[in-house]
Amino acid sequence: MTTGHQTPTIPAATAAASGSTERVQQHRRYLMCRPEHFTVTYSINPWMEPAKPTDTAKAVAQWQTLYDTYLALGHEVELIDPIPGLPDMVYTANGGFVIDGVAYGARFRFPERAPEGPAFMEWFGAQGFDVVDPVEVNEGEGDFLLVGDTILAGTGFRSTGDSHRELRDVFGKEVVSLTLTDPRFYHLDTAISVLDPVEGPGGVERANIAYLPGAFDAESRRVLAERYPDAIQVADADGAVFGLNSASDGRNVIISPRATGFEAQLRERGYTPIMIDLSELLLGGGGIKCCTLELRGAGS
């Protein structure tokens, strides 16, 4: 039992904003890892400063609020056991990419995180997923996002372009490569938020996203504008507080309380923002989505 965390307040159902679409909540299943060993002892992204003190108890309390929020919203949350010496294991989104019961494993760029890959693949296998051992460097759902039937795939800092080909071979889906250019946003899930997890029957006609234009090169911005003309374009001020590192069930969008502009944009579109503060985990370069891996399909 953790101490110091606050019970989340889940907003009551609200009418969609004028001119916006009525949003439908989708049941989600997530994988999380309690940050019992969280600290910052090395630096592999611009957010990590080993000289700056971290508070593990505070990190656990903030994480617990996120966990409790998912449960209060009716979602399922599976847990993988934290491993001593792997402080970044809390960022489960980097541990793999799962569609239709197939788990494509992660192969981390930096040696500090390399042991996480086999640990996550072992967990996937034990839960009944069909595990694909990666050949190419990739950091899972940190760089791969499913939007409808299309996979958006990031490269530039962590996952390699060759992993996009491997991803296409594994899942047989269209993979759209996007190049990140701002080192603050080194994973795709720090610069794009998938707002609609279900496209088609039972979901929206066309899944939408929010994104930070300044995180991408010119060609990637062109592709995003062409494919998602109705996307929410988020200001740098909201991106810089990891506002886009969020989780959405199609109606409720869990975001940083400091992303006030993004909050207003979501409300205008009929989504219900829920603010969860993960400021301590941001010291390791992670936020809400980093701590949340989608489990789609098989597994028991």
Side-chain angles (χ1 to χ4, degrees), residues 17 23 195 210 232 246 253-255 261-273:
R23 303 298 173 184
L195 299 179
I232 296 175
S246 60
V253 186
I254 319 298
I255 67 170
F262 186 34
E263 176 190 356
Q265 289 175 303
L266 288 168
R267 292 191 187 281
E268 289 171 1
R269 300 292 187 97
Y271 296 98
T272 302

Side-chain angles (χ1 to χ4, degrees), residues 2 30 33 59 92 95 108-109 117 128 143 145 210 215 260 269 275 278:
T2 60
Y30 298 132
C33 181
T92 53
F108 289 87
R109 174 184 173 187
D143 272 330
L145 299 173
T260 54
R269 300 292 187 97
M275 277 60 74
L278 291 188

Side-chain angles (χ1 to χ4, degrees), residues 10-25:
I10 305 302
T14 56
S18 176
S20 63
T21 302
E22 186 70 34
R23 303 298 173 184
V24 178
Q25 180 183 6

Side-chain angles (χ1 to χ4, degrees), residues 35-39 54-61 280:
E36 293 176 3
H37 308 295
F38 176 74
T39 187
T54 53
D55 186 334
T56 303
K58 183 178 180 181
V60 171
E280 198 66 20

Side-chain angles (χ1 to χ4, degrees), residues 6 13 29 45 62 75 79 92 106 121 137 139 142 147-148 178 194 251 254 264 275-276 286:
Q6 298 180 346
R29 184 173 173 228
N45 66 59
Q62 291 181 340
H75 302 308
L79 293 174
T92 53
M121 284 187 280
V137 172
E139 300 198 351
V147 186
L178 302 168
V194 181
R251 178 174 178 271
I254 319 298
M275 277 60 74
I276 301 292

Side-chain angles (χ1 to χ4, degrees), residues 70-89:
Y70 287 143
L71 295 185
L73 288 169
H75 302 308
E76 295 177 67
V77 181
E78 306 288 344
L79 293 174
I80 184 172
D81 292 334
I83 297 175
L86 298 179
D88 287 346
M89 202 167 168

